[in-house]
Every structure is written in structure tokens, then in C-alpha cells.
Amino acid sequence: MASHPKHGLVTVAQHIIEQQRNHPTATGQFSWLLSGITLATKIIESHVRRAGITNVLGETGESNVQGELVQKLDLIANETIMRCLGYRGNIGILVSEEEDEPRIIKNTSGSGNYVVLFDPLDGSSNIDVNVSIGTIFSILHKREDVWPSDGPEKHVLQPGIRQLAAGYVVYGSSTVLAYTTGDGVHMFTLNPDIGAFVLHQEGVIMPDVGKTYSINEAYRASFPQGIQDYLEWAKTDNYSQRYIGSLVADFHRTLLRGGVFLYPPTKKSPEGKLRLLYEANPMAFLAEQAGGAATDGQHRIMEKTPQHMHERTPLIIGSKSEVERVHQFLEKG
Ligand code: AHM
Ligand code: MG
């Protein structure tokens, strides 16, 4: 494991504080908030690692706001994040993929300034079969031009370019955290012996080219013609295909190895399946910070203004040149 160029071993908490020193106006509130997220992901990871022996596999019997069956671990992850962040006095609004409405955090210090959005456990279909899953988060400032009587939703419906930070934790063969505050992407591995995320790569750069595409090709017949043509062409040019079915894991591989991940509109999900606020925006922020790109096939993901909290979007994300190539096929298709 590589050490920090300046200080040797660096934990994520230290790294966040150092990053904040580059911002003279920083109050420390933001690092406090991020440390709440890392604490929550460590608790979730301990549940994930013991899932088979603690009777937390399987469904709860309930559906979430998206109409999807809720897994027991989905619920545990959601409650863990709510519990860890609900007590950090500076958060104003918490929004989860699993909940119908934004949750306003009431605290003694008045109303907090931040909006935290998260997908507590991404890759639900992989939970019970021991395949990589993850947690995704995105942080915004509350808008200053919104009155309390307008309700919390207006604070939440901001385009991705307003994100202050975003990141994910992938619970894979090891547990890795990646985050950005708009100053590059930094990656940490959880050292289970000391219970800390330790820096292993600063300023991660996504390879600009990569001959791997990642898509659920079973839906191929209902993809837009341009996507079908791209897939056909890629097969004649020695591409590989990799698809895990957890965005967090498919994105993590794409970030490190290059290539492109696609979830286009399909007959079943005409708007795409992935959620703009909890999945596409944070990953788009990370991709761009690593030199990659993210679009919905027409527009830059981070410039889309969400109309509602659980809005879905098509997603094409990865190496810049590969995303551009997909666009060329879409324009011809
Ligand atoms: P989830 O948040 O309920 O887990 O759903 C999102 C997941 C993504 O992680 C993944 O990219 C996608 O759904 C896979 O969908 P499909 O099974 O249609 O390929
Ligand atoms: Mg998800």
C-alpha cells in the first residue's frame, strides 16, 4: 500500500482535514459531516461482512418508494446512515433512495446548512449472493434563496454541478472508499486491523481509453439504435464486456481500468433505471474529477436540473474518449 507522499500513513479523516486547510473559509463542519459518513460505512461494512451468520439476508417483505422489494440489509444500511448523520448538528436535510420524503434533521444548534443524499446500499440484487455492493453519497449546500415555507424539496432539487462532495464505498474483496470535494479523486482502503480507511491513492486519473464496455446486454433489443450499433462495432474491435450489476462496483472498475458503463433507456425503464440524485450525479462528479465524462446520451449529467427527488436518468459514464465514441454512434443511430 502506497503511503502519503508527505506524511506516511494517512487516514481518511486526516486527509479530509488537510483538504479543508486549502479552503481558508472552511469551518470544520464539513469534515465533521464527512467523518459521520465514513463512520456509517464502517458500521454497514461490518453488517455486510457478517451477513450470512446474523440472519440479515433476504427481503423484509416491504417495497420502497421505487416499488422495489427492500432487502433487510438495505434497511439496516439506511437506518445506520440516518442514525450516524442525524446526530451531526450541521446537517439540515437527509435524503435517501429508500425513503419517500427528505428527512429534516432537527437539532439544537439551529438548522444545518448541508443536504446529504445517499443510496445506502447500491446493488440490491447482489446482496444475498456475496457479490460487491456499496454506499453512494452526495453533499450539497442548502439553497439561500429558499424560504422555510417552500419545504425541503427545493433544497434537494439542485443540479449536480452544485455538489460540494461526492463519493462511494465499495464492499468488495476489500472495502474501498473514494471521494472528491472538487479537488481530484482520492481513494482509501479499510484496514480491518485498525478499523480505519487508509489512503492508497491521491488524485486518481481514469485512463482516457479502455476497451471494455459494461452494460446489461440482455436488454439489447430495447436499447436506442445508436447503442446497439456501438455494441456491434465494439465486438469487431476486440472489446471485452464486464457487468457486475452493482453500479458502485462497475463504476469502480471503470474508474481504475477505463472503458464505459452504460445504462440506456429500455422498454422496461424508458427514462433509464438509475437515479439522478443518488447514483448518476455523485458518480458523474467523481468521473469528471478523474478526467472522465458522464452524460445521459445528450446532456452532461451534472447540468441536469432534477424535477423530482427520485428522478431517473440514462447514464453513459467512463473514459472521455469512450463516452464520446458512444455519442458518435448515437448521433448516427
Ligand atoms: P439498486 O439501487 O436498487 O441496487 O438498483 C440500482 C442497480 C445498480 O447498482 C446497477 O447498475 C443496476 O441496478 C443493475 O440493474 P439491472 O439488474 O437492470 O442490470
Ligand atoms: Mg442503487
Side-chain angles (χ1 to χ4, degrees):
M1 187 187 298
S3 60
H4 190 278
K6 287 176 285 192
H7 306 281
L9 189 129
V10 170
T11 66
V12 67
Q14 279 169 270
H15 195 265
I16 290 165
I17 290 167
E18 274 182 35
Q19 290 277 109
Q20 288 295 283
R21 286 206 189 109
N22 299 333
H23 299 269
T25 52
T27 57
Q29 287 196 32
F30 191 58
S31 358
W32 179 232
L33 190 169
L34 279 170
S35 76
I37 295 180
T38 58
L39 171 65
T41 59
K42 282 194 261 181
I43 298 173
I44 297 170
E45 112 98 27
S46 80
H47 285 289
V48 168
R49 295 280 174 236
R50 288 179 288 123
I53 46 175
T54 52
N55 192 28
V56 293
L57 294 177
E59 289 156 3
T60 58
E62 287 172 12
S63 300
N64 66 11
V65 58
Q66 331 262 347
E68 299 153 345
L69 288 170
V70 176
Q71 307 283 316
K72 289 184 193 164
L73 265 174
D74 274 330
L75 207 67
I76 291 173
N78 191 49
E79 280 168 4
T80 301
I81 294 188
M82 290 291 177
R83 221 174 55 231
C84 288
L85 295 184
Y87 291 100
R88 307 258 152 164
N90 48 6
I91 298 172
I93 302 172
L94 273 176
V95 191
S96 164
E97 189 200 287
E98 298 294 330
E99 309 232 344
D100 304 8
E101 301 289 341
R103 200 182 281 200
I104 311 225
I105 304 298
K106 302 248 185 304
N107 56 70
T108 47
S109 60
S111 53
N113 285 327
Y114 296 102
V115 181
V116 182
L117 303 106
F118 57 92
D119 180 352
L121 208 53
D122 175 63
S124 301
S125 67
N126 283 323
I127 293 177
D128 284 359
V129 290
N130 205 15
V131 174
S132 299
I133 48 183
T135 298
I136 309 172
F137 63 90
S138 161
I139 303 174
L140 299 161
H141 258 316
K142 276 167 74 178
R143 282 172 49 173
E144 283 173 6
D145 55 344
V146 169
W147 293 92
S149 55
D150 290 334
E153 212 175 30
K154 281 207 168 162
H155 290 294
V156 176
L157 300 180
Q158 302 188 53
I161 40 169
R162 301 249 179 88
Q163 289 172 106
L164 300 172
Y168 63 83
V169 173
V170 57
Y171 313 109
S173 49
S174 62
T175 297
V176 171
L177 178 149
Y179 87 95
T180 184
T181 52
D183 194 12
V185 175
H186 314 297
M187 222 171 251
F188 303 76
T189 301
L190 183 67
N191 180 337
D193 294 335
I194 58 171
F197 283 105
V198 177
L199 180 67
H200 80 249
Q201 206 177 339
E202 248 183 341
V204 177
I205 299 293
M206 188 185 295
D208 189 45
V209 287
K211 294 178 81 165
T212 303
Y213 64 80
S214 184
I215 192 167
N216 190 337
E217 222 168 343
Y219 309 139
R220 181 191 170 120
S222 65
F223 291 155
Q225 190 57 45
I227 301 286
Q228 297 193 35
D229 294 344
Y230 166 75
L231 296 172
E232 201 52 44
W233 168 84
K235 287 187 184 64
T236 65
D237 202 46
N238 295 323
Y239 273 57
S240 279
Q241 191 253 12
R242 293 281 182 277
Y243 190 71
I244 296 166
S246 299
L247 173 66
V248 92
D250 281 314
F251 178 78
H252 185 65
R253 183 198 55 252
T254 306
L255 176 59
L256 294 174
R257 295 275 180 267
V260 63
F261 171 91
L262 311 100
Y263 207 117
T266 61
K267 205 167 153 198
K268 191 173 151 204
S269 310
E271 308 298 325
K273 178 185 180 192
L274 300 173
R275 268 74 28 147
L276 177 59
L277 291 173
Y278 319 105
E279 295 170 321
N281 267 342
M283 293 316 196
F285 193 13
L286 289 157
E288 290 194 6
Q289 283 294 314
T295 77
D296 65 359
Q298 285 179 305
H299 309 287
R300 184 180 170 209
I301 288 288
M302 292 218 289
E303 285 177 13
K304 291 177 73 142
T305 301
Q307 303 302 315
H308 56 92
M309 282 195 353
H310 298 291
E311 184 167 325
R312 294 173 192 261
T313 178
L315 180 63
I316 299 165
I317 189 166
S319 300
K320 208 175 213 161
S321 62
E322 211 53 40
V323 172
E324 277 164 15
R325 193 192 304 279
V326 174
H327 271 240
Q328 285 161 13
F329 277 91
L330 281 168
E331 277 156 27
K332 278 191 266 162

